[in-house]
Amino acid sequence: MKKDVLFMTGNEDFSTIIEKNAYYVDKTSYLKELFMSSSEVMNALFIRPRRFGKTLNLNMIKTFCELNYQNPGDKSYQQKLFIDNGRNLAVATGDYKELREKVMGEYPVISISFRGVEGNTFQTAVSGLLGIIAELYDRFLFLRESVKQSDERIKQFNAIYSFCTAKYNKLSDPDNLNEAIVICGSFLATLAEMLYREYGRKILVIIDEYDVPLQKAVIAKEPYYDDMLEIIRKISVTTFKQNPDPWLYKGIVSGCLRIAHQSVFTDANNFTTFGMNDEPYTGFFGFTNDETHKLLNDCGLSDKESEVKEWYDGYRFGNKHIFCPWSLISYCYAATQKDNTVPQPFWVNTSGNDLITMFTDNSMESHNAENIDKLQKLMEGENVNISLMEFTTYPDLRVGVSFDIFMTMMLHTGYVTFAEGAMLTDKVTVRIPNQEVLYCFNKKRELLFGENNPYWYNQALKLVDLLMANNTDEAQMLISTMLKEFLSIRNTGHELYYHGFMTGILGLATATKNFTYHEEIESGTGFSDIIIDSFDNKTACILELKKTENLEDCYDVADAATKQIIKKGYASKFISRRYKKVYGIGIGFAKKSCEIISLGNLVEVSANSKV
């Protein structure tokens, strides 16, 4: 491998990457499509999963287009970064000469990211947005000294800047909060109008991560979705109108989730959304096969290509196979700088919003047997069918959503992708893209079905109550459901798996109820599998477990388990202690199902046998 390749992992500033001579996968060929093609659109919304290069690409666009505010007409900065860097970028070739003449360094650019707009309260989130506005206005303080600006405009600029810098942390005052909301809705148009007056050139507006504030508003401790939606709508209204202001040249917006125009981009019907499968931008975000092959070759890692493909490939955008750029760059950095070529789950560790956990914690549909089976199939490398959903609001996983809504979100956020050959219609076939995401699913599954998960823990408590009441019909249904959630087919090959499964769900639950839990203890003339003992209630439940390969034999092995309870006299010591109720229960397991047979109260059986 080569040690002289520089990677700036986490750096999303185009100029820094070029100036530091760090590795850059060339995406400049898309500039012509954006600004000079016959299919050029007024306003573009790009929907892609997180960590797929959205921010870097938008920063590259900003750097290419932005005017030298102190010396309009001077394009030396862009000449250095895009043309004279020795990299042979696509935009430096003769085919892009007209684009360079008409677009490069020609436009004032307003570029903001909503990535950091979050908080457990609405006030905290608005405060974060005010900080972003203050940073933006700080770049354009020179406008206050211009003779081209009216006194009223300068006064308005100063009022916004002063408020954002002085009162961002005083929003508990209702008057300040109301003023902050007004500023959030008007700051962009105010600045754009001043830039247009100053330079007589239309403005390029770039908004990165437009949907982050909406997502964070949903999952906050005190949700404030409607309030935040009104701010995002107001920004849209004042920026991307159906009949745009004379100052707007073009809008470019990015996000992870497609939310219906009528909900967010009000009166912005001139918006065109480019999802993962929409040409001509399917290769704009992420690394294609050719780009990945070149990257690995440049790093001296060509021999790792098949392993890299297994871990980080698998995404299907249109007809292209796309690799996750964050994971690939992180892998190459670890390999070239730390001599570590073992693939790791880089992308999944960057998640700020655990969709899998939220869905399973809050949605009844996550525990539906059919949906559990679909999740199991995904984890076993199979495809599943879903109906794509368009969202009019950001789905609230806290209150529960349907399985199709959940899977559509998983598709947009990169946890699943379109299956090869799947028709890209309302009903689609999806799969887990690669080993990295599969690792994530498996880790989440371990957490979901542990003692710290409220749903799982409550189910365990319920099962203990059912067994101690000898309610075997409901216990059988509950255990079968839990088996489908907890075990994959690969883990049902040995009886010890079922023993461990029952131990895991009953052990802590019995302690919570102040029952005594025993496993493999001597009883009668043998060793019973599991005993739940309530001394205070003089009740015990004896469980004997058997396993078979075939579902049709499940009843027979459960019956054999009950006969063993009788033969070995497992109930004898409890009967001798004058227990009132001692239930003998045999459980037969087969794959993800079970059969339960109860001997009833063995105290009564013993008494009747002596009569």
Side-chain angles (χ1 to χ4, degrees), residues 135-204:
E135 290 180 8
L136 175 67
Y137 270 50
D138 194 62
R139 294 185 59 235
F140 296 100
L141 291 179
F142 61 85
L143 290 173
R144 301 186 299 183
E145 311 301 324
S146 173
V147 297
K148 296 182 181 180
Q149 304 297 329
S150 67
D151 291 341
E152 186 61 33
R153 281 297 182 199
I154 293 174
K155 182 179 178 181
Q156 189 175 5
F157 183 103
N158 285 333
I160 292 174
Y161 183 65
S162 176
F163 186 94
C164 291
T165 55
K167 296 185 179 180
Y168 68 93
N169 59 350
K170 300 178 181 178
L171 302 186
S172 57
D173 183 330
D175 291 337
N176 285 344
L177 180 59
N178 288 335
E179 186 173 351
I181 292 171
V182 172
I183 287 173
C184 289
S186 62
F187 78 93
L188 200 151
T190 297
L191 180 58
E193 288 170 354
M194 293 181 73
L195 286 169
Y196 182 59
R197 176 183 290 269
E198 186 71 17
Y199 297 102
R201 307 186 191 198
K202 292 189 174 185
I203 315 303
L204 172 62

Side-chain angles (χ1 to χ4, degrees), residues 50 118 211-220 256-257 347-359 362 394-398 406 409-410 413-415 440 444:
R50 58 189 173 81
E118 59 181 288
D211 58 336
V212 166
L214 300 175
Q215 170 199 321
K216 299 299 184 181
V218 168
I219 66 174
C256 286
L257 196 63
W347 175 81
V348 296
N349 291 334
T350 66
S351 176
N353 178 22
D354 194 334
L355 299 177
I356 305 173
T357 301
M358 290 185 69
F359 173 69
N362 296 292
Y394 206 102
D396 189 354
L397 293 176
R398 295 171 62 112
F406 167 63
M409 290 187 71
M410 298 289 275
T413 50
Y415 286 96
C440 171
K444 297 308 176 190

Side-chain angles (χ1 to χ4, degrees), residues 552-583:
E552 56 267 27
D553 297 331
C554 209
Y555 181 88
D556 292 337
V557 295
D559 184 55
T562 60
K563 290 176 179 176
Q564 183 172 322
I565 293 172
I566 297 295
K567 181 179 179 181
K568 299 289 186 179
Y570 291 154
S572 58
K573 71 175 182 178
F574 295 101
I575 294 173
S576 66
R577 295 175 185 171
R578 299 183 181 278
Y579 271 54
K580 299 177 181 177
K581 298 175 183 177
V582 181
Y583 298 117

